[in-house]
Amino acid sequence: MYIMSQISSSYYLMKLYQQLSPEVKGHSLRVSLIMGLITEYMLNLQYPIPHQFGAKSDDEIISFSREAGSYHDIGKIEVPSQILKKSGELTEDEMEEIRKHTIYAERLMLPCIKELSTAEQPYFKSVLEVCVSHHERWDGYGYPYGKAGKDIPFFARVCAVADSFDAMVSRRYYSAPKTSVAAGEEILRCSGSQFDPQIVSAFEAVLPQVNRLLKYKRRDAK
Ligand SMILES: [Fe+2]
Ligand SMILES: [Fe+2]
């Protein structure tokens, strides 16, 4: 039953994923890899990772974390590409439109989740939590709902760190990339304000692995 649920879940998510731009897909893949490393590290430390999707092993939890990372920006399907690809500084209205990708994820996925069986729903709801909440901040000043601390779902807190790191080290249309060292220092500086301190500690521990993996992926993509 669990395997059937995973096949159906993956098929549905894949159909949405195909609609993302190549840039967002690349970013999502890197976020997915970083989330997997953080989650694996925390599981090895026996950190009690909360989840409601019925995983029976650590491998299933790591696999879920990677999959949630792949789809975290799914709401960007609905953001006009001229805004996502704009090379100059974004206006406040454009920034607001980009922030709405969290809510758009809800709008895209929720009606379909309601059609799924009760066995499938927890997995999708957990993916959706990451899509909606990965821009919330530990101190409550994030968006879309201003959730704080552990009210933010665990995997969304992991995603927040992975997402911010990749955004800083990647060449974006509207800003120059930071070095991995500078981005790592910035993540550390924001521990306890923007990010969950325990997840930042795990991230800092796996940063050498992250660097090796991302360098490899980028060289591979040339
Ligand atoms: Fe996002
Ligand atoms: Fe992102």
Side-chain angles (χ1 to χ4, degrees):
M1 190 61 199
Y2 186 78
I3 291 170
M4 284 303 293
S5 164
Q6 284 225 318
I7 290 169
S8 165
S9 301
S10 299
Y11 175 71
Y12 170 70
L13 286 168
M14 209 182 297
K15 274 171 59 183
L16 281 178
Y17 181 82
Q18 292 308 329
Q19 297 177 49
L20 288 168
S21 70
E23 293 78 14
V24 177
K25 280 182 188 154
H27 162 68
S28 301
L29 172 63
R30 295 189 296 273
V31 169
S32 156
L33 293 170
I34 299 169
M35 285 183 69
L37 289 173
I38 295 172
T39 303
E40 185 175 11
Y41 182 84
M42 295 184 86
L43 284 167
N44 286 339
L45 286 184
Q46 311 288 324
Y47 183 90
I49 292 183
H51 66 84
Q52 290 114 24
F53 49 89
K56 293 176 181 64
S57 68
D58 285 0
D59 281 349
E60 285 181 7
I61 294 172
I62 294 165
S63 167
F64 169 83
S65 184
R66 289 199 192 113
E67 189 155 22
S70 298
Y71 296 101
H72 76 283
D73 272 338
I74 204 76
K76 286 189 177 169
I77 291 170
E78 304 247 318
V79 177
S81 63
Q82 66 268 28
I83 296 179
L84 290 176
K85 293 185 175 182
K86 186 174 172 182
S87 55
E89 207 173 317
L90 295 166
T91 65
E92 189 46 46
D93 282 351
E94 288 166 339
M95 295 277 282
E96 190 52 39
E97 180 61 24
I98 288 184
R99 288 188 198 110
K100 284 183 188 164
H101 74 282
T102 50
I103 301 295
Y104 292 157
E106 208 162 38
R107 202 168 72 186
L108 279 167
M109 293 181 69
L110 211 48
C112 302
I113 290 174
K114 284 178 182 162
E115 298 298 314
L116 294 171
S117 70
T118 49
E120 288 176 304
Q121 285 188 5
Y123 186 89
F124 269 111
K125 282 182 180 166
S126 297
V127 171
L128 178 58
E129 281 179 348
V130 175
C131 300
V132 172
S133 298
H134 67 279
H135 288 288
E136 299 287 8
R137 292 173 51 115
W138 185 250
D139 59 13
Y141 288 98
Y143 65 90
Y145 298 123
K147 288 183 181 178
K150 293 192 176 177
D151 282 346
I152 305 166
F154 173 80
F155 290 101
R157 282 181 268 143
V158 175
C159 187
V161 172
D163 183 44
S164 296
F165 179 79
D166 187 65
M168 284 191 273
V169 298
S170 300
R171 187 173 297 282
R172 292 260 169 139
Y173 293 99
Y174 46 86
S175 66
K178 278 183 167 37
T179 64
S180 168
V181 171
E185 285 171 357
E186 180 65 12
I187 296 284
L188 201 53
R189 196 182 65 75
C190 297
S191 176
S193 54
Q194 187 171 352
F195 306 119
D196 178 340
Q198 284 181 294
I199 292 172
V200 170
S201 296
F203 171 76
E204 296 295 333
V206 300
L207 188 51
Q209 279 172 273
V210 168
N211 286 331
R212 279 198 296 276
L213 203 59
L214 294 187
K215 243 182 223 166
Y216 171 74
K217 282 285 162 196
R218 285 188 182 134
R219 195 174 57 225
D220 206 35
K222 277 179 189 170

